[in-house]
Amino acid sequence: MQRINEAFYSMLRQWIPEGTEIYPTIAAENAKYPYCVTNMNGFTVRSTKMGVVGYVFSYEINIWGCAFNQVDRIATKVMSEAEAFEEVRFDDPPGRMTVMITDGVSDYTQGGFVQALKFSVKYDGGAT
């Protein structure tokens, strides 16, 4: 799982505009808008008679800001980058990772605007 988490975070870091912090699971107490919170919500194992052949991970990205347009601009960029993304290849052990955006929702809560984007991250290969 660690290499998938690292690869997904690295991609997200490239997709998120400069000046937007990314936090794993929960934002820092002193976080300033805009910021992003990412979390791997779970995974399923894909197996055959030969054993495990891959995994499907569920990630959620929550983009927080002080204005709807601020979070909408960031979310639009992330969605656009995700749609254009093809795959990451790993050499040792061999495998490949693909990303697909599956869902999203906008809200105003706790004094801020948030857009939650959900992703399905598919990994084909052995141990992650």
Side-chain angles (χ1 to χ4, degrees), residues 27-118:
E29 186 74 28
N30 61 349
K32 291 184 174 49
Y33 291 144
Y35 64 85
C36 173
V37 177
T38 181
N39 193 33
M40 194 269 291
N41 295 332
F43 67 94
T44 56
V45 177
R46 296 178 29 251
S47 58
T48 66
K49 291 179 189 177
M50 303 301 287
V52 174
V53 295
Y55 302 85
V56 178
F57 298 88
S58 298
Y59 281 87
E60 185 170 322
I61 309 302
N62 291 292
I63 302 164
W64 290 85
C66 59
F68 175 81
N69 287 343
Q70 182 183 48
V71 296
D72 192 50
R73 177 181 49 83
I74 296 168
T76 299
K77 183 174 186 314
V78 170
M79 292 167 59
S80 175
E81 295 286 345
E83 289 172 8
F85 176 76
E86 293 185 19
E87 68 182 20
V88 171
R89 291 199 172 268
F90 301 100
D91 293 330
D92 187 25
R96 70 184 187 106
M97 181 181 97
T98 57
V99 176
M100 181 175 64
I101 187 162
T102 61
D103 197 4
V105 64
S106 295
D107 198 3
Y108 179 83
T109 185
Q110 301 174 16
F113 291 89
V114 62
Q115 287 200 19
L117 304 176
K118 295 181 182 176

Side-chain angles (χ1 to χ4, degrees), residues 4-16 22:
I4 301 305
N5 285 331
E6 289 172 357
F8 188 75
Y9 179 86
S10 177
M11 289 182 328
L12 188 59
R13 183 73 264 161
Q14 294 174 22
W15 299 349
I16 295 286
I22 301 174

